[in-house]
Amino acid sequence: MGTIVFTATDIPVAALKPADFLKTHEFTNRSNLFMTVFMASSLTNYLHPLAPTLSADSLTKVGNYQFAFYVDNRLIYQTNLHPGAPYARIKNEETILSKPLVDNEREGRWWSQSAWNRFMQNGGDSALSDGRHRFRLVISPYVNLAGVKTGQPIATGELTLIVKRKPVIDLTRIRLAVPEPYAGLPVSTDSLDTRRIKTLKANIEAGVFRHITSVVVVKNGKLLLEEYFNGASRTTRHDVRSVGKSFASTLTGLAIAEGYLKHEQQPLADFYDLKAYQHYSTDKARTTLADLLTMSSAFDGNDNEMDSPGNEENMYPAPNWVTFALDLPVTPSKFRGDWHYFTAGVVVLGDVLHKVVPGGLDRYSKQKLFSPLGIREYSWQYTPQQVVNTAGGIQMNALDFAKFGQLYKNGGRWNGQQLLPAEWVAKTFTRRKAIPGRTNEYYGYLFWNRTFTVGGKAYETYYCTGNGGNKIYVFTDLPLVVVVTATAYNAPYAHPQVDRMMEEFILPAVLH
């Protein structure tokens, strides 16, 4: 009791033997690390002395585990797990926890992995430099009422880590793939800095950049670079999550061009009897499609706030996602027209499109977008009402995602045809809302905007992005479209590592 043991593989508690307990562990970018925590009682019982007047149900809502990570006897990072995970039943009943800290095959599935990733983001990465280190994990209970109150440690575990995370790279052994023509994308004859791309490839293969599955670069409409990793290939359909939101913007532009929508300033009252939903107000009725496209509506939903009523995690269990969204209150005084990430609003936008286009959104997207682009192998995810899920989830191969980006780079033209009005591309690629908490980052119509700096020069891009580190970049002042796909879902390093790949490797190699 009161002990944390570490193992290199996921071993069921019933099969765990003392011989499995790690004392020393070689820790590389590909290593896994699991923990089994033996507690004398359940977490709820540990929480009770910290707030004796609260019921068990209340304790699970205000308390959880505190993880403290030590390296070489120095506290590096301490985190209070959000009360939402693990579940209340586990807090009330379990006395043994068996969870991954690092599981490269199943990234981001557990709250324990999130805690480890936060540790690595907040000092752990530098503390675990190559060499020998003593690692210690201390788990304690905490409650957060008027402030955080922490109890005595529940369990502690230690082991020696022999860290070998810096790869030894021999560029003479690295071979770059030779791109082959793909329908709509001929091969480029332009040069690039192959040494830099080889270094990038070696770092991806060594797991320095984690869970990357593809990197594609199109220059002047031609395929310049095409590399696949971690079992992916040219035919792999990548699950790019919220990249699919940008497709909803495209389909909105197409529906307006064909007269199925009047314009993006149309209010929701044109499409729904909003008095049939909860929290009716004139502000809700006046909410426009543009408000949904710019994520600046007054709906009380913010995916970046766990306690937000309209957080997407509250939507997914609902039997009808559109009803969930339209039932939410609107609070104009809270949001003041500012940007806030609201997935449920894009679901409503998709439902509007599904209502107005002939044959529904699945058929319409095929006829008006995918077939003209020569995209045949793709799949949507769907809402519980079997409507295309515009919140995200479109899957296709990396080269077809590149064609989607190139359509925007071409100003909406493809094979001599104006598929998407140039005016809509221009409206989409407009800095409409500043992203709070970020410097020089903006939002257009379901596309993001930022600027990379390479060699002291600024390069602006509008881009699609999705959980896991998935990106489609369309540069405004360079003839470039870049696609990166990845499966680092829910990992805090997922997006920063792609930014680093772009600034240190991909853009310098193309701009050399």
Side-chain angles (χ1 to χ4, degrees), residues 378-402:
Y378 67 93
S379 54
W380 285 108
Q381 293 177 357
Y382 298 88
T383 71
Q385 281 59 53
Q386 294 305 302
V387 175
V388 163
N389 178 17
T390 47
I394 182 72
Q395 298 184 23
M396 60 182 67
N397 69 50
L399 295 178
D400 284 340
F401 281 125

PDB file of all heavy atoms in Angstrom, residues 378-402:
ATOM      1  N   TYR A 378     -12.916   8.783 -50.012  1.00  0.00           N
ATOM      2  CA  TYR A 378     -13.030   9.597 -48.809  1.00  0.00           C
ATOM      3  C   TYR A 378     -14.189   9.067 -47.982  1.00  0.00           C
ATOM      4  O   TYR A 378     -15.006   8.266 -48.455  1.00  0.00           O
ATOM      5  CB  TYR A 378     -13.265  11.077 -49.149  1.00  0.00           C
ATOM      6  CG  TYR A 378     -14.594  11.362 -49.800  1.00  0.00           C
ATOM      7  CD1 TYR A 378     -15.707  11.723 -49.041  1.00  0.00           C
ATOM      8  CD2 TYR A 378     -14.760  11.241 -51.187  1.00  0.00           C
ATOM      9  CE1 TYR A 378     -16.932  11.961 -49.639  1.00  0.00           C
ATOM     10  CE2 TYR A 378     -15.989  11.478 -51.787  1.00  0.00           C
ATOM     11  CZ  TYR A 378     -17.068  11.838 -51.007  1.00  0.00           C
ATOM     12  OH  TYR A 378     -18.284  12.068 -51.594  1.00  0.00           O
ATOM     13  N   SER A 379     -14.292   9.520 -46.754  1.00  0.00           N
ATOM     14  CA  SER A 379     -15.429   9.132 -45.918  1.00  0.00           C
ATOM     15  C   SER A 379     -15.733  10.248 -44.928  1.00  0.00           C
ATOM     16  O   SER A 379     -14.822  10.879 -44.394  1.00  0.00           O
ATOM     17  CB  SER A 379     -15.147   7.821 -45.167  1.00  0.00           C
ATOM     18  OG  SER A 379     -13.938   7.912 -44.422  1.00  0.00           O
ATOM     19  N   TRP A 380     -16.997  10.486 -44.723  1.00  0.00           N
ATOM     20  CA  TRP A 380     -17.476  11.423 -43.712  1.00  0.00           C
ATOM     21  C   TRP A 380     -17.804  10.662 -42.434  1.00  0.00           C
ATOM     22  O   TRP A 380     -18.092   9.468 -42.463  1.00  0.00           O
ATOM     23  CB  TRP A 380     -18.756  12.102 -44.173  1.00  0.00           C
ATOM     24  CG  TRP A 380     -18.667  13.165 -45.217  1.00  0.00           C
ATOM     25  CD1 TRP A 380     -19.071  13.056 -46.518  1.00  0.00           C
ATOM     26  CD2 TRP A 380     -18.206  14.514 -45.060  1.00  0.00           C
ATOM     27  NE1 TRP A 380     -18.881  14.251 -47.183  1.00  0.00           N
ATOM     28  CE2 TRP A 380     -18.354  15.169 -46.302  1.00  0.00           C
ATOM     29  CE3 TRP A 380     -17.684  15.237 -43.986  1.00  0.00           C
ATOM     30  CZ2 TRP A 380     -17.999  16.497 -46.503  1.00  0.00           C
ATOM     31  CZ3 TRP A 380     -17.331  16.564 -44.179  1.00  0.00           C
ATOM     32  CH2 TRP A 380     -17.487  17.185 -45.426  1.00  0.00           C
ATOM     33  N   GLN A 381     -17.842  11.376 -41.345  1.00  0.00           N
ATOM     34  CA  GLN A 381     -18.549  10.897 -40.165  1.00  0.00           C
ATOM     35  C   GLN A 381     -19.904  11.604 -40.142  1.00  0.00           C
ATOM     36  O   GLN A 381     -20.104  12.612 -40.815  1.00  0.00           O
ATOM     37  CB  GLN A 381     -17.745  11.195 -38.894  1.00  0.00           C
ATOM     38  CG  GLN A 381     -16.451  10.407 -38.814  1.00  0.00           C
ATOM     39  CD  GLN A 381     -15.620  10.754 -37.595  1.00  0.00           C
ATOM     40  OE1 GLN A 381     -15.976  11.635 -36.817  1.00  0.00           O
ATOM     41  NE2 GLN A 381     -14.507  10.076 -37.427  1.00  0.00           N
ATOM     42  N   TYR A 382     -20.837  11.062 -39.343  1.00  0.00           N
ATOM     43  CA  TYR A 382     -22.201  11.564 -39.362  1.00  0.00           C
ATOM     44  C   TYR A 382     -22.722  11.848 -37.953  1.00  0.00           C
ATOM     45  O   TYR A 382     -22.277  11.248 -36.979  1.00  0.00           O
ATOM     46  CB  TYR A 382     -23.132  10.550 -40.056  1.00  0.00           C
ATOM     47  CG  TYR A 382     -22.760  10.313 -41.496  1.00  0.00           C
ATOM     48  CD1 TYR A 382     -21.826   9.334 -41.837  1.00  0.00           C
ATOM     49  CD2 TYR A 382     -23.305  11.083 -42.521  1.00  0.00           C
ATOM     50  CE1 TYR A 382     -21.453   9.124 -43.151  1.00  0.00           C
ATOM     51  CE2 TYR A 382     -22.945  10.881 -43.842  1.00  0.00           C
ATOM     52  CZ  TYR A 382     -22.012   9.906 -44.152  1.00  0.00           C
ATOM     53  OH  TYR A 382     -21.635   9.707 -45.466  1.00  0.00           O
ATOM     54  N   THR A 383     -23.682  12.767 -37.882  1.00  0.00           N
ATOM     55  CA  THR A 383     -24.347  13.061 -36.623  1.00  0.00           C
ATOM     56  C   THR A 383     -25.342  11.943 -36.315  1.00  0.00           C
ATOM     57  O   THR A 383     -25.610  11.089 -37.168  1.00  0.00           O
ATOM     58  CB  THR A 383     -25.099  14.400 -36.713  1.00  0.00           C
ATOM     59  OG1 THR A 383     -26.242  14.227 -37.567  1.00  0.00           O
ATOM     60  CG2 THR A 383     -24.199  15.507 -37.263  1.00  0.00           C
ATOM     61  N   PRO A 384     -25.936  11.945 -35.102  1.00  0.00           N
ATOM     62  CA  PRO A 384     -26.951  10.913 -34.812  1.00  0.00           C
ATOM     63  C   PRO A 384     -28.129  10.942 -35.775  1.00  0.00           C
ATOM     64  O   PRO A 384     -28.833   9.935 -35.921  1.00  0.00           O
ATOM     65  CB  PRO A 384     -27.388  11.270 -33.386  1.00  0.00           C
ATOM     66  CG  PRO A 384     -26.193  11.926 -32.776  1.00  0.00           C
ATOM     67  CD  PRO A 384     -25.580  12.720 -33.900  1.00  0.00           C
ATOM     68  N   GLN A 385     -28.370  12.074 -36.444  1.00  0.00           N
ATOM     69  CA  GLN A 385     -29.451  12.174 -37.435  1.00  0.00           C
ATOM     70  C   GLN A 385     -28.971  11.810 -38.842  1.00  0.00           C
ATOM     71  O   GLN A 385     -29.677  12.040 -39.818  1.00  0.00           O
ATOM     72  CB  GLN A 385     -30.040  13.585 -37.424  1.00  0.00           C
ATOM     73  CG  GLN A 385     -31.021  13.833 -36.272  1.00  0.00           C
ATOM     74  CD  GLN A 385     -30.390  13.627 -34.898  1.00  0.00           C
ATOM     75  OE1 GLN A 385     -29.354  14.214 -34.595  1.00  0.00           O
ATOM     76  NE2 GLN A 385     -31.006  12.790 -34.079  1.00  0.00           N
ATOM     77  N   GLN A 386     -27.750  11.253 -38.922  1.00  0.00           N
ATOM     78  CA  GLN A 386     -27.165  10.817 -40.197  1.00  0.00           C
ATOM     79  C   GLN A 386     -26.965  11.969 -41.180  1.00  0.00           C
ATOM     80  O   GLN A 386     -27.112  11.809 -42.402  1.00  0.00           O
ATOM     81  CB  GLN A 386     -28.007   9.702 -40.833  1.00  0.00           C
ATOM     82  CG  GLN A 386     -27.998   8.406 -40.036  1.00  0.00           C
ATOM     83  CD  GLN A 386     -26.579   7.895 -39.767  1.00  0.00           C
ATOM     84  OE1 GLN A 386     -25.811   7.648 -40.694  1.00  0.00           O
ATOM     85  NE2 GLN A 386     -26.215   7.771 -38.496  1.00  0.00           N
ATOM     86  N   VAL A 387     -26.642  13.124 -40.633  1.00  0.00           N
ATOM     87  CA  VAL A 387     -26.236  14.276 -41.425  1.00  0.00           C
ATOM     88  C   VAL A 387     -24.714  14.351 -41.385  1.00  0.00           C
ATOM     89  O   VAL A 387     -24.098  14.030 -40.361  1.00  0.00           O
ATOM     90  CB  VAL A 387     -26.853  15.581 -40.867  1.00  0.00           C
ATOM     91  CG1 VAL A 387     -26.333  16.797 -41.619  1.00  0.00           C
ATOM     92  CG2 VAL A 387     -28.375  15.510 -40.945  1.00  0.00           C
ATOM     93  N   VAL A 388     -24.108  14.744 -42.491  1.00  0.00           N
ATOM     94  CA  VAL A 388     -22.654  14.909 -42.518  1.00  0.00           C
ATOM     95  C   VAL A 388     -22.198  15.720 -41.312  1.00  0.00           C
ATOM     96  O   VAL A 388     -22.744  16.789 -41.015  1.00  0.00           O
ATOM     97  CB  VAL A 388     -22.234  15.609 -43.835  1.00  0.00           C
ATOM     98  CG1 VAL A 388     -20.829  16.173 -43.725  1.00  0.00           C
ATOM     99  CG2 VAL A 388     -22.315  14.621 -44.992  1.00  0.00           C
ATOM    100  N   ASN A 389     -21.203  15.196 -40.600  1.00  0.00           N
ATOM    101  CA  ASN A 389     -20.701  15.853 -39.393  1.00  0.00           C
ATOM    102  C   ASN A 389     -19.671  16.914 -39.771  1.00  0.00           C
ATOM    103  O   ASN A 389     -18.493  16.619 -39.952  1.00  0.00           O
ATOM    104  CB  ASN A 389     -20.082  14.822 -38.447  1.00  0.00           C
ATOM    105  CG  ASN A 389     -19.495  15.464 -37.203  1.00  0.00           C
ATOM    106  OD1 ASN A 389     -19.801  16.614 -36.884  1.00  0.00           O
ATOM    107  ND2 ASN A 389     -18.645  14.730 -36.515  1.00  0.00           N
ATOM    108  N   THR A 390     -20.128  18.152 -39.876  1.00  0.00           N
ATOM    109  CA  THR A 390     -19.222  19.242 -40.236  1.00  0.00           C
ATOM    110  C   THR A 390     -18.367  19.708 -39.071  1.00  0.00           C
ATOM    111  O   THR A 390     -17.513  20.579 -39.237  1.00  0.00           O
ATOM    112  CB  THR A 390     -20.031  20.430 -40.786  1.00  0.00           C
ATOM    113  OG1 THR A 390     -21.139  20.683 -39.918  1.00  0.00           O
ATOM    114  CG2 THR A 390     -20.553  20.114 -42.176  1.00  0.00           C
ATOM    115  N   ALA A 391     -18.578  19.114 -37.886  1.00  0.00           N
ATOM    116  CA  ALA A 391     -17.695  19.417 -36.752  1.00  0.00           C
ATOM    117  C   ALA A 391     -16.296  18.882 -36.995  1.00  0.00           C
ATOM    118  O   ALA A 391     -15.327  19.349 -36.388  1.00  0.00           O
ATOM    119  CB  ALA A 391     -18.262  18.804 -35.472  1.00  0.00           C
ATOM    120  N   GLY A 392     -16.178  17.911 -37.882  1.00  0.00           N
ATOM    121  CA  GLY A 392     -14.880  17.314 -38.182  1.00  0.00           C
ATOM    122  C   GLY A 392     -15.038  15.845 -38.491  1.00  0.00           C
ATOM    123  O   GLY A 392     -16.113  15.265 -38.321  1.00  0.00           O
ATOM    124  N   GLY A 393     -13.957  15.224 -38.952  1.00  0.00           N
ATOM    125  CA  GLY A 393     -14.011  13.793 -39.182  1.00  0.00           C
ATOM    126  C   GLY A 393     -13.947  13.376 -40.635  1.00  0.00           C
ATOM    127  O   GLY A 393     -13.986  12.183 -40.929  1.00  0.00           O
ATOM    128  N   ILE A 394     -13.852  14.325 -41.577  1.00  0.00           N
ATOM    129  CA  ILE A 394     -13.663  13.931 -42.970  1.00  0.00           C
ATOM    130  C   ILE A 394     -12.325  13.213 -43.096  1.00  0.00           C
ATOM    131  O   ILE A 394     -11.315  13.651 -42.547  1.00  0.00           O
ATOM    132  CB  ILE A 394     -13.724  15.164 -43.905  1.00  0.00           C
ATOM    133  CG1 ILE A 394     -13.575  14.753 -45.377  1.00  0.00           C
ATOM    134  CG2 ILE A 394     -12.661  16.191 -43.549  1.00  0.00           C
ATOM    135  CD1 ILE A 394     -14.757  14.062 -45.954  1.00  0.00           C
ATOM    136  N   GLN A 395     -12.319  12.087 -43.790  1.00  0.00           N
ATOM    137  CA  GLN A 395     -11.100  11.299 -43.955  1.00  0.00           C
ATOM    138  C   GLN A 395     -10.803  11.100 -45.439  1.00  0.00           C
ATOM    139  O   GLN A 395     -11.695  10.742 -46.207  1.00  0.00           O
ATOM    140  CB  GLN A 395     -11.229   9.938 -43.264  1.00  0.00           C
ATOM    141  CG  GLN A 395     -11.425  10.045 -41.761  1.00  0.00           C
ATOM    142  CD  GLN A 395     -11.461   8.691 -41.068  1.00  0.00           C
ATOM    143  OE1 GLN A 395     -10.949   7.696 -41.582  1.00  0.00           O
ATOM    144  NE2 GLN A 395     -12.077   8.652 -39.891  1.00  0.00           N
ATOM    145  N   MET A 396      -9.557  11.354 -45.808  1.00  0.00           N
ATOM    146  CA  MET A 396      -9.080  11.082 -47.159  1.00  0.00           C
ATOM    147  C   MET A 396      -7.567  11.013 -47.110  1.00  0.00           C
ATOM    148  O   MET A 396      -6.953  11.211 -46.053  1.00  0.00           O
ATOM    149  CB  MET A 396      -9.570  12.143 -48.150  1.00  0.00           C
ATOM    150  CG  MET A 396      -9.138  13.559 -47.848  1.00  0.00           C
ATOM    151  SD  MET A 396      -9.794  14.805 -49.018  1.00  0.00           S
ATOM    152  CE  MET A 396     -11.539  14.763 -48.675  1.00  0.00           C
ATOM    153  N   ASN A 397      -6.932  10.729 -48.252  1.00  0.00           N
ATOM    154  CA  ASN A 397      -5.478  10.635 -48.225  1.00  0.00           C
ATOM    155  C   ASN A 397      -4.845  12.019 -48.247  1.00  0.00           C
ATOM    156  O   ASN A 397      -5.496  13.031 -48.530  1.00  0.00           O
ATOM    157  CB  ASN A 397      -4.961   9.740 -49.362  1.00  0.00           C
ATOM    158  CG  ASN A 397      -5.140  10.350 -50.740  1.00  0.00           C
ATOM    159  OD1 ASN A 397      -4.771  11.502 -50.987  1.00  0.00           O
ATOM    160  ND2 ASN A 397      -5.707   9.583 -51.673  1.00  0.00           N
ATOM    161  N   ALA A 398      -3.560  12.073 -47.937  1.00  0.00           N
ATOM    162  CA  ALA A 398      -2.868  13.353 -47.775  1.00  0.00           C
ATOM    163  C   ALA A 398      -2.832  14.157 -49.070  1.00  0.00           C
ATOM    164  O   ALA A 398      -2.906  15.392 -49.049  1.00  0.00           O
ATOM    165  CB  ALA A 398      -1.446  13.107 -47.259  1.00  0.00           C
ATOM    166  N   LEU A 399      -2.722  13.480 -50.213  1.00  0.00           N
ATOM    167  CA  LEU A 399      -2.653  14.191 -51.486  1.00  0.00           C
ATOM    168  C   LEU A 399      -3.993  14.823 -51.847  1.00  0.00           C
ATOM    169  O   LEU A 399      -4.036  15.912 -52.448  1.00  0.00           O
ATOM    170  CB  LEU A 399      -2.191  13.241 -52.587  1.00  0.00           C
ATOM    171  CG  LEU A 399      -0.762  12.700 -52.421  1.00  0.00           C
ATOM    172  CD1 LEU A 399      -0.423  11.736 -53.539  1.00  0.00           C
ATOM    173  CD2 LEU A 399       0.244  13.834 -52.368  1.00  0.00           C
ATOM    174  N   ASP A 400      -5.084  14.173 -51.473  1.00  0.00           N
ATOM    175  CA  ASP A 400      -6.398  14.783 -51.721  1.00  0.00           C
ATOM    176  C   ASP A 400      -6.615  15.982 -50.794  1.00  0.00           C
ATOM    177  O   ASP A 400      -7.233  16.980 -51.205  1.00  0.00           O
ATOM    178  CB  ASP A 400      -7.503  13.744 -51.549  1.00  0.00           C
ATOM    179  CG  ASP A 400      -7.577  12.782 -52.738  1.00  0.00           C
ATOM    180  OD1 ASP A 400      -7.064  13.143 -53.816  1.00  0.00           O
ATOM    181  OD2 ASP A 400      -8.128  11.680 -52.580  1.00  0.00           O
ATOM    182  N   PHE A 401      -6.110  15.910 -49.585  1.00  0.00           N
ATOM    183  CA  PHE A 401      -6.149  17.098 -48.722  1.00  0.00           C
ATOM    184  C   PHE A 401      -5.323  18.223 -49.343  1.00  0.00           C
ATOM    185  O   PHE A 401      -5.688  19.401 -49.265  1.00  0.00           O
ATOM    186  CB  PHE A 401      -5.629  16.771 -47.326  1.00  0.00           C
ATOM    187  CG  PHE A 401      -6.623  16.067 -46.445  1.00  0.00           C
ATOM    188  CD1 PHE A 401      -6.314  14.855 -45.850  1.00  0.00           C
ATOM    189  CD2 PHE A 401      -7.869  16.629 -46.208  1.00  0.00           C
ATOM    190  CE1 PHE A 401      -7.229  14.201 -45.038  1.00  0.00           C
ATOM    191  CE2 PHE A 401      -8.800  15.991 -45.391  1.00  0.00           C
ATOM    192  CZ  PHE A 401      -8.472  14.766 -44.805  1.00  0.00           C
ATOM    193  N   ALA A 402      -4.219  17.863 -49.970  1.00  0.00           N
ATOM    194  CA  ALA A 402      -3.390  18.879 -50.634  1.00  0.00           C
ATOM    195  C   ALA A 402      -4.143  19.516 -51.795  1.00  0.00           C
ATOM    196  O   ALA A 402      -4.023  20.722 -52.042  1.00  0.00           O
ATOM    197  CB  ALA A 402      -2.084  18.254 -51.120  1.00  0.00           C
TER     198      ALA A 402
END
